[in-house]
Amino acid sequence: MVNETTIKLRDLELDDGGIYNTRIWFTKTQFQEQHFNLTVYEPVPTPQIHHQVESKTPGGCNVTLRCHTPGREELKVSWDTGGPHRALGKSVNRYQVSDNGQDLRVFSWNSSFYSKFTCLVSNPVDQKRASFDLLSICESDEGGQFGPLSWSPRVISSLIFLLVIIVVVMVNWMCWKIRLERNRRGRTISIDLLPTSPEMGASCQVYLFLFLLIPRGRDW
């Protein structure tokens, strides 16, 4: 101000912002007025990043990251990744940032790309960062905070078919052991892969028939 004088306002609160008028008197009749527009900002709180796994496939991991900041002040939110940090826009190839900047959608991420994403929250006087590493969820069995792990239908059907084959082999092996034991007791039994004796062959064939009825999983 005039002659390097200053005005100090102590113990400011958010509601103290507004236009302040000053009047400086030089003599009883001579003065000068000045107007100041004061904006009060609070320190930026440390943001928290929440994640939601949308899907996991052999081709990549689809994840939504949300940058949460407590408090009532409107803050600017932006995202970056890489080394050095590269800012992400609203629509950049594998990434999509929401209009308010809080949500980052990552499409088909895999281990060949940078895994760490950083949320930057700022106002004109302060800023804070928080980072999240996709390796912690995309290369683990975790399904995410808001979504379960997505199993591939082909994987499920393959596992079921493999289980059926194992059970069939075990049943045939058991039947062969039974025939061998009865042979030792002096009974004449045909040594085919599937038993045909009326006493025990029927039971083994029933078990095999029931397991072979399980669908092999095109639509699982």
Side-chain angles (χ1 to χ4, degrees), residues 104-125:
L104 171 65
R105 183 80 182 272
V106 183
F107 302 101
S108 300
W109 179 89
N110 59 59
S111 56
S112 63
F113 299 98
Y114 288 111
S115 63
K116 184 175 291 187
F117 292 85
T118 300
C119 165
L120 173 64
V121 180
S122 62
N123 61 21
V125 298

Side-chain angles (χ1 to χ4, degrees), residues 21-64:
N21 303 314
T22 64
R23 179 174 293 182
I24 305 164
W25 294 87
F26 301 101
T27 65
K28 291 183 178 181
T29 58
Q30 186 182 4
F31 62 89
Q32 179 182 343
E33 289 187 342
Q34 292 188 9
H35 308 283
F36 299 92
N37 187 7
L38 176 66
T39 304
V40 182
Y41 298 96
E42 60 183 346
V44 173
T46 301
Q48 298 177 343
I49 297 180
H50 304 292
H51 68 274
Q52 178 179 354
V53 178
E54 307 292 348
S55 63
K56 284 185 183 181
T57 64
C61 180
N62 297 331
V63 182
T64 298

Side-chain angles (χ1 to χ4, degrees), residues 73-145:
E73 183 182 349
E74 292 294 330
L75 300 171
K76 180 182 178 182
V77 182
S78 61
W79 293 86
D80 56 51
T81 186
H85 290 291
R86 177 171 58 88
L88 301 179
K90 289 189 176 180
S91 181
V92 182
N93 296 330
R94 295 180 177 270
Y95 320 111
Q96 183 178 358
V97 181
S98 62
D99 292 335
N100 60 8
Q102 290 186 341
D103 293 343
L104 171 65
R105 183 80 182 272
V106 183
F107 302 101
S108 300
W109 179 89
N110 59 59
S111 56
S112 63
F113 299 98
Y114 288 111
S115 63
K116 184 175 291 187
F117 292 85
T118 300
C119 165
L120 173 64
V121 180
S122 62
N123 61 21
V125 298
D126 192 18
Q127 64 179 19
K128 292 287 193 314
R129 292 176 179 268
S131 297
F132 188 86
D133 197 336
L134 291 187
L135 283 175
S136 63
I137 55 173
C138 287
E139 293 194 352
S140 70
D141 293 333
E142 180 185 350
Q145 187 166 352

